[in-house]
Every structure is written in structure tokens, then in C-alpha cells.
Amino acid sequence: MTITAADMALYTAALFALFLTPGPVWVALIARTLSGGFSAAWPLAVGVVVGDVLWPLLAILGVTWIVSVYADFMHVLRIVASVTFIVMGALIVRHASRTIGSDSRLTRPGMWAGFLAGVAVILGNPKAILFYMGVLPGLFDLTRLTGPDIAAICFASLFVPLTGNLILAWFFGRARALLTSPTAVRRINRIAGGLLIAVGCAIPFV
């Protein structure tokens, strides 16, 4: 392996920070938890793993070439991600009174439906795209990575968010009765929307 324990520790910390930032996966996970409890949410968390492994692989295999050809690619990606976060946050705040479980595409019952929802939400997650395509190449020299290095990065990319998502689903499952009240939902939506807007505003300066 060419990457050190310190490199992996820094990457793991970055993954944890990524997990703590509210985004589409949180919305989907909370929606399924509130609609069907932990048993409805864990298949979604497993589905998210598909993207959490796919995105770092794409970053390792493709970003170096893309940046070498299109020098402004990362700058454009930052702007797109920033605008996306701000719009998402504004929409959540605007519809703060809407119950989280009202989107039937996220709350459709069944393990397979939950898994597919997880795959869809992570593949279209701008937060994940920005992180893996923007931050990952800055943490490692992608041109020197070996097979074991790539395996270690993919495992960390899988393990950290999966563990966090399962804990999150368990927590919201326990608090399900409280969080389904209109007042609590409105407050959570406003806070989540505000955080998304804040992240979107901060991205261009990171």
C-alpha cells in the first residue's frame, strides 16, 4: 500500500464530516424510518452503499484525466453543487410544514423498494458527487494508488456512511412518535433547510 494510516484517518474523518452534513440521503432515510420504522430504513442504507463504493471508484479512475483535459471542471462542479444545495435548502424551508413521509417514492413499502430508493438517492446526491470528485483527489495521489489502496478507500467509503446511516435510522425509529408531530416536522425541516443553504453558501469558499 502507498497510503499511510494517517492518510486513511484523515479520509475517514472527512467521510464522517460528509455524513454529518444533511442531504438527500438523510431526507430519504428519515422518510422511510418515520413511515415504517427501522425495518423500512435499513434496506435504503444498504442501497446507499452502492453509490458510496461507485463514486470513489469513478473518482480514482476518471477525475485525474478529466481535470487534465478540462482545467475548470472542478470549479464548475463546485458552482453547480453550491447552487443545488441552496435550492434544496430553500425548497425544504418553503415546504417546512409538509410531512417528511409524504413522498411515496421514498416511503413505498418493501425491502427491494427501499434498496432501490437508496441506490437512486446516492447516485443523484450532489453532496456525494462533490466530495468524491472534488475532495478525494486532493487527499490522495490517485496516480500512485495500488489495488489494496483502492480496496481500503472503498471499504472506508462503505463502512463509515453505512454505520452512520444505520445508527441514524435506529435513532429516528426510536423517536418516531415524537417526530411525526406537525410542529416537530416543521422545526426539523426549517433547520435542515437552513443547514443546506449554509453548506451551499460555504462551498465556493472551501
Side-chain angles (χ1 to χ4, degrees):
M1 292 181 64
T2 64
I3 55 179
T4 66
D7 292 333
M8 284 306 302
L10 179 61
Y11 180 60
T12 301
L15 285 169
F16 184 67
L18 174 72
F19 163 74
L20 291 178
T21 306
V25 173
W26 273 46
V27 174
L29 195 68
I30 293 172
R32 287 195 68 85
T33 305
L34 295 184
S35 66
F38 180 80
S39 62
W42 73 259
L44 184 140
V46 175
V48 169
V49 166
V50 173
D52 284 330
V53 173
L54 179 63
W55 283 125
L57 278 176
L58 289 176
I60 292 169
L61 299 176
V63 166
T64 302
W65 177 82
I66 293 174
V67 172
S68 68
V69 176
Y70 304 104
D72 295 328
F73 175 75
M74 296 312 306
H75 179 66
V76 172
L77 190 59
R78 281 176 175 267
I79 294 174
V80 171
S82 176
V83 172
T84 301
F85 271 101
I86 293 172
V87 171
M88 285 171 52
L91 289 174
I92 290 176
V93 172
R94 181 180 177 184
H95 302 289
S97 297
R98 180 178 300 172
T99 59
I100 294 177
S102 62
D103 189 341
S104 61
R105 293 170 300 177
L106 296 179
T107 58
R108 188 175 295 122
M111 291 177 55
W112 185 242
F115 176 82
L116 291 179
V119 173
V121 77
I122 189 62
L123 292 182
N125 185 355
K127 185 179 69 168
I129 296 169
L130 175 69
F131 177 82
Y132 290 117
M133 297 299 183
V135 177
L136 182 59
L139 294 177
F140 304 107
D141 183 353
L142 302 185
T143 61
R144 298 181 56 210
L145 295 181
T146 64
D149 293 330
I150 296 173
I153 291 172
C154 288
F155 177 77
S157 302
L158 175 159
F159 181 77
V160 173
L162 176 61
T163 302
N165 286 332
L166 290 176
I167 292 173
L168 186 69
W170 177 85
F171 171 78
F172 280 111
R174 301 280 291 184
R176 185 180 175 191
L178 173 64
L179 293 173
T180 50
S181 72
T183 301
V185 169
R186 188 181 308 112
R187 184 178 297 116
I188 291 171
N189 281 337
R190 286 174 177 168
I191 293 173
L195 288 173
L196 285 174
I197 293 172
V199 171
C201 292
I203 286 174
F205 305 101
V206 174

